[in-house]
């Protein structure tokens, strides 16, 4: 199998590791401190992420996930486990359960789609090996580099962002990206998401770039404001989401937010 990982240095002691498989594009990040390294997210369970990380550092690696979705927890088993926000405990349990993942696919896609894409769906709904999970602390000390954990429920109840204040970087998982945010599957209500985005907006002078879990990186400037405007527009009624069979989609200036049907 072709190595799905592509490494790029984005700052001193900081790497983006892009995982490109046939069906997924995931972004994970490796941050090196003086004593420890931090791996943020682990993609889907394809390829040797541990081997890739081992080419970049000899430091002990702390593995954290921005949330419990299968495209963020996939390779955590290669490291023996990961830390996650406890508000995603139930979701994580579900994403390690094949029957649940299959039911999620049925909720998202039509029976015809599921029939024709049986093989990829089988592959995607095969959970990674169950491993040890712990809960995230408020800060993670890597040695002369401290990473803050910011709770940003919305995309999932336990979604978090990681702030590297010293290096002025924010790692946002699926809470902010340059394409759209999905709240319709396992998300909270849009009000909670708006509060989370406003929490990030309130500290925007503490970072220069936002590094997301998918799509283009870093996220374009102004995207944060677009999510706030979109969420506020939906809540006030100024933006009317378009109804689809399985979700509603609200759009604003190049981004979108999906909502439950
Ligand atoms: Zn997600
Ligand atoms: Zn994701």
């Amino acid at each position: 199998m072709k190595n799905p990982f592509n490494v790029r240095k984005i700052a001193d002691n900081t790497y983006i590791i892009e995982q490109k498989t046939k069906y997924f594009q995931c972004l994970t990040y490796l941050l090196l401190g003086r004593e420890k390294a931090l791996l943020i997210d682990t993609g889907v369970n394809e390829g040797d992420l541990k081997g890739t990380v081992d080419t970049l550092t000899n430091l002990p690696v702390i593995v954290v996930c921005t949330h419990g979705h299968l495209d963020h927890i996939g390779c955590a088993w290669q490291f023996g486990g990961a830390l996650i926000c406890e508000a995603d405990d139930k979701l994580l349990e579900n994403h390690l359960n094949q029957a649940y993942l299959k039911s999620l696919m049925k909720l998202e896609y039509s029976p015809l789609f599921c029939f024709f894409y049986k093989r990829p769906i089988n592959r995607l709904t095969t959970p990674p090996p169950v491993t040890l999970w712990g809960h995230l602390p408020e800060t993670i000390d890597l040695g002369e580099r401290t990473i803050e954990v910011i709770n940003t429920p919305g995309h999932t109840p336990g979604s978090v962002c990681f702030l590297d204040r010293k290096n002025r970087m924010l790692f946002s998982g699926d809470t902010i990206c340059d394409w759209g945010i999905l709240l319709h599957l396992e998300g909270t209500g849009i009000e909670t998401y708006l509060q989370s985005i406003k929490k990030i907006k309130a500290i925007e002078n503490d970072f220069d770039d936002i590094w997301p879990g998918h799509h283009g990186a870093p996220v374009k400037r102004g995207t944060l404001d677009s999510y706030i405007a979109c969420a506020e527009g939906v809540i006030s009624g100024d933006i009317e989401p378009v109804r689809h069979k399985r979700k509603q989609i609200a759009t604003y200036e190049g981004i979108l937010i999906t909502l439950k049907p």
Side-chain angles (χ1 to χ4, degrees), residues 79-115:
F79 300 85
L83 306 178
I84 196 160
C85 171
E86 62 252 42
D88 263 5
D89 276 356
K90 182 67 196 156
L91 182 136
L92 173 70
E93 193 186 316
N94 287 336
H95 278 248
L96 294 170
N97 176 317
Q98 185 156 38
Y100 177 85
L101 291 174
K102 286 209 157 141
S103 70
L104 199 65
M105 289 287 169
K106 279 192 187 138
L107 214 65
E108 180 69 354
Y109 301 111
S110 71
L112 202 65
F113 181 96
C114 291
F115 179 78

Side-chain angles (χ1 to χ4, degrees), residues 29 38-41 63-69 72 83-89 91 134-140 147-163 170-176 188 193 196-197 199-200 203 210-213:
Y29 300 90
L38 184 72
L39 180 67
I40 300 176
D41 282 332
V63 183
V64 293
C65 296
T66 53
H67 61 292
H69 276 162
H72 295 257
L83 306 178
I84 196 160
C85 171
E86 62 252 42
D88 263 5
D89 276 356
L91 182 136
H135 291 146
L136 288 164
E138 282 175 24
T139 58
I140 302 164
I147 309 302
E148 294 165 45
V149 180
I150 304 168
N151 292 105
T152 49
H155 175 65
T156 66
S159 284
V160 302
C161 293
F162 296 97
L163 176 65
L170 183 86
F171 300 90
S172 61
D174 288 358
T175 294
I176 305 154
T188 66
Y193 177 68
S196 293
I197 291 293
K199 198 193 263 186
I200 299 299
I203 55 162
I210 298 176
W211 298 90

Side-chain angles (χ1 to χ4, degrees), residues 124-151:
L124 287 178
T125 54
T126 303
V130 176
T131 180
L132 282 174
W133 297 88
H135 291 146
L136 288 164
E138 282 175 24
T139 58
I140 302 164
D141 185 4
L142 306 176
E144 291 176 24
R145 190 174 193 180
T146 299
I147 309 302
E148 294 165 45
V149 180
I150 304 168
N151 292 105

Side-chain angles (χ1 to χ4, degrees), residues 147-209:
I147 309 302
E148 294 165 45
V149 180
I150 304 168
N151 292 105
T152 49
H155 175 65
T156 66
S159 284
V160 302
C161 293
F162 296 97
L163 176 65
D164 180 350
R165 212 178 275 268
K166 190 171 162 192
N167 294 287
R168 302 185 55 78
M169 304 169 98
L170 183 86
F171 300 90
S172 61
D174 288 358
T175 294
I176 305 154
C177 76
D178 69 3
W179 170 75
I181 296 305
L182 310 182
L183 303 183
H184 73 288
L185 280 174
E186 296 167 303
T188 66
I190 193 151
E191 292 82 1
T192 305
Y193 177 68
L194 176 61
Q195 291 313 312
S196 293
I197 291 293
K198 283 186 167 172
K199 198 193 263 186
I200 299 299
K201 175 76 183 170
I203 55 162
E204 71 172 348
N205 290 331
D206 293 332
F207 57 84
D208 295 321
D209 283 316

